[in-house]
Coordinates of all heavy atoms in Angstrom, one line a residue:
Chain A
T80 N 20.0 164.8 -13.4 CA 19.0 165.3 -12.5 C 19.6 165.9 -11.3 O 20.3 165.2 -10.6 CB 17.9 164.3 -12.1 OG1 17.4 163.7 -13.3 CG2 16.9 164.9 -11.2
V81 N 19.4 167.2 -11.1 CA 19.9 167.9 -9.9 C 18.8 167.8 -8.9 O 17.7 168.4 -9.1 CB 20.2 169.4 -10.2 CG1 20.8 170.0 -9.0 CG2 21.2 169.4 -11.4
T82 N 19.0 167.0 -7.9 CA 18.0 166.8 -6.9 C 18.1 167.8 -5.7 O 19.2 168.2 -5.4 CB 18.1 165.4 -6.3 OG1 19.3 165.3 -5.6 CG2 18.0 164.4 -7.4
S83 N 16.9 168.2 -5.2 CA 16.9 169.2 -4.1 C 17.8 170.3 -4.4 O 18.8 170.6 -3.6 CB 17.2 168.5 -2.8 OG 17.0 169.4 -1.7
A84 N 17.6 171.0 -5.4 CA 18.5 172.1 -5.9 C 18.6 173.2 -4.9 O 17.6 173.6 -4.3 CB 18.1 172.6 -7.3
H85 N 19.8 173.8 -4.7 CA 20.0 174.9 -3.9 C 20.7 176.0 -4.7 O 21.3 175.7 -5.8 CB 20.8 174.5 -2.7 CG 20.1 173.7 -1.7 ND1 19.2 174.2 -0.9 CD2 20.1 172.3 -1.5 CE1 18.7 173.2 -0.1 NE2 19.2 172.1 -0.5
P86 N 20.7 177.2 -4.3 CA 21.3 178.3 -5.0 C 22.8 178.0 -5.5 O 23.2 178.5 -6.5 CB 21.2 179.5 -4.1 CG 19.9 179.3 -3.3 CD 19.9 177.8 -3.1
E87 N 23.5 177.3 -4.6 CA 24.9 177.1 -4.9 C 25.0 176.1 -6.1 O 26.1 175.9 -6.7 CB 25.7 176.5 -3.7 CG 25.1 175.3 -3.1 CD 24.1 175.6 -1.9 OE1 23.5 176.7 -1.9 OE2 24.0 174.8 -1.0
D88 N 23.9 175.4 -6.5 CA 23.9 174.5 -7.7 C 23.8 175.3 -9.0 O 23.9 174.7 -10.0 CB 22.8 173.5 -7.5 CG 23.0 172.6 -6.3 OD1 24.2 172.3 -6.0 OD2 22.0 172.2 -5.7
S89 N 23.5 176.6 -8.8 CA 23.3 177.4 -10.0 C 24.6 177.4 -10.8 O 25.7 177.7 -10.2 CB 23.0 178.9 -9.7 OG 21.7 178.9 -9.0
S90 N 24.5 177.1 -12.1 CA 25.7 177.0 -12.9 C 25.4 176.7 -14.3 O 24.2 176.6 -14.7 CB 26.6 175.8 -12.3 OG 27.9 175.8 -12.9
F91 N 26.4 176.5 -15.1 CA 26.2 176.2 -16.5 C 26.6 174.7 -16.6 O 27.8 174.3 -16.3 CB 27.1 177.1 -17.4 CG 26.7 177.1 -18.8 CD1 25.5 177.4 -19.2 CD2 27.7 176.8 -19.8 CE1 25.1 177.4 -20.6 CE2 27.4 176.8 -21.1 CZ 26.1 177.1 -21.6
Y92 N 25.7 173.8 -17.0 CA 26.0 172.4 -17.2 C 26.2 172.1 -18.6 O 25.3 172.3 -19.4 CB 24.9 171.6 -16.5 CG 24.9 171.8 -15.0 CD1 24.1 172.8 -14.4 CD2 25.6 171.0 -14.1 CE1 24.1 173.0 -13.1 CE2 25.6 171.2 -12.8 CZ 24.8 172.2 -12.3 OH 24.8 172.4 -10.9
I93 N 27.3 171.4 -18.9 CA 27.6 171.0 -20.3 C 27.8 169.5 -20.4 O 28.5 168.9 -19.6 CB 28.8 171.8 -20.8 CG1 28.7 173.3 -20.7 CG2 29.2 171.4 -22.2 CD1 29.9 174.1 -21.0
C94 N 27.2 168.9 -21.5 CA 27.5 167.5 -21.7 C 28.4 167.4 -23.0 O 28.4 168.3 -23.8 CB 26.2 166.7 -21.8 SG 25.3 167.0 -23.3
S95 N 29.0 166.2 -23.1 CA 29.7 165.9 -24.3 C 29.5 164.4 -24.6 O 29.2 163.7 -23.7 CB 31.2 166.3 -24.2 OG 31.8 165.4 -23.3
A96 N 29.8 164.1 -25.8 CA 29.6 162.7 -26.2 C 30.8 162.3 -27.1 O 31.3 163.0 -27.9 CB 28.3 162.5 -26.9
I97 N 31.2 161.0 -26.9 CA 32.3 160.5 -27.7 C 31.7 160.0 -29.0 O 30.8 159.2 -29.0 CB 33.0 159.4 -27.0 CG1 33.6 159.9 -25.7 CG2 34.0 158.7 -27.9 CD1 34.9 160.6 -25.9
E98 N 32.3 160.4 -30.1 CA 31.9 159.9 -31.5 C 33.1 159.1 -32.0 O 34.1 159.6 -32.3 CB 31.7 161.1 -32.4 CG 30.7 160.9 -33.6 CD 30.6 159.6 -34.3 OE1 31.3 158.6 -34.0 OE2 29.9 159.5 -35.3
R99 N 33.0 157.8 -32.0 CA 34.1 156.9 -32.2 C 34.6 157.0 -33.7 O 35.7 156.8 -33.9 CB 33.8 155.5 -31.8 CG 33.4 155.4 -30.3 CD 33.4 154.0 -29.8 NE 33.0 153.9 -28.4 CZ 33.8 154.2 -27.4 NH1 35.0 154.5 -27.6 NH2 33.2 154.2 -26.2
S100 N 33.7 157.3 -34.6 CA 34.1 157.3 -36.0 C 34.9 158.6 -36.3 O 35.5 158.8 -37.3 CB 32.9 157.2 -36.9 OG 32.0 158.3 -36.8
Y101 N 34.9 159.6 -35.3 CA 35.7 160.8 -35.5 C 36.9 160.7 -34.6 O 37.4 161.7 -34.0 CB 34.8 162.0 -35.1 CG 33.9 162.5 -36.1 CD1 32.7 161.9 -36.3 CD2 34.3 163.6 -36.9 CE1 31.8 162.4 -37.3 CE2 33.4 164.1 -37.8 CZ 32.2 163.5 -38.1 OH 31.4 164.0 -39.0
G102 N 37.5 159.5 -34.5 CA 38.7 159.4 -33.7 C 38.5 159.6 -32.3 O 39.3 160.1 -31.6
N103 N 37.3 159.2 -31.8 CA 37.0 159.3 -30.4 C 36.9 160.8 -29.9 O 37.2 161.1 -28.8 CB 37.9 158.5 -29.5 CG 37.7 157.0 -29.7 OD1 36.6 156.5 -29.9 ND2 38.8 156.3 -29.7
E104 N 36.6 161.7 -30.8 CA 36.6 163.1 -30.5 C 35.3 163.3 -29.6 O 34.3 162.7 -29.8 CB 36.5 163.9 -31.7 CG 36.5 165.4 -31.5 CD 36.5 166.2 -32.7 OE1 37.1 165.8 -33.7 OE2 35.9 167.3 -32.8
Q105 N 35.5 164.3 -28.6 CA 34.3 164.6 -27.9 C 33.6 165.8 -28.6 O 34.2 166.8 -28.9 CB 34.8 165.1 -26.4 CG 35.1 164.0 -25.5 CD 35.2 164.4 -24.1 OE1 34.4 165.3 -23.6 NE2 36.2 163.9 -23.4
F106 N 32.3 165.7 -28.7 CA 31.5 166.7 -29.2 C 30.6 167.3 -28.0 O 30.0 166.5 -27.3 CB 30.6 166.2 -30.4 CG 31.4 166.0 -31.6 CD1 32.0 164.7 -31.8 CD2 31.6 166.9 -32.5 CE1 32.8 164.5 -32.9 CE2 32.4 166.7 -33.7 CZ 32.9 165.5 -33.8
F107 N 30.5 168.6 -27.9 CA 29.9 169.2 -26.8 C 28.5 169.7 -27.1 O 28.3 170.2 -28.2 CB 30.8 170.4 -26.3 CG 32.0 169.9 -25.6 CD1 33.2 169.5 -26.3 CD2 32.1 169.8 -24.2 CE1 34.3 169.1 -25.7 CE2 33.2 169.4 -23.6 CZ 34.3 169.0 -24.3
G108 N 27.7 169.6 -26.1 CA 26.4 170.3 -26.2 C 26.5 171.7 -26.0 O 27.5 172.2 -25.5

Side-chain angles (χ1 to χ4, degrees):
Chain A
T80 302
V81 183
T82 62
S83 187
H85 291 282
E87 56 265 30
D88 299 324
S89 298
S90 191
F91 197 55
Y92 293 88
I93 301 173
C94 73
S95 70
I97 296 285
E98 206 324 2
R99 300 194 186 279
S100 65
Y101 277 82
N103 293 322
E104 182 177 329
Q105 281 192 43
F106 289 87
F107 288 81

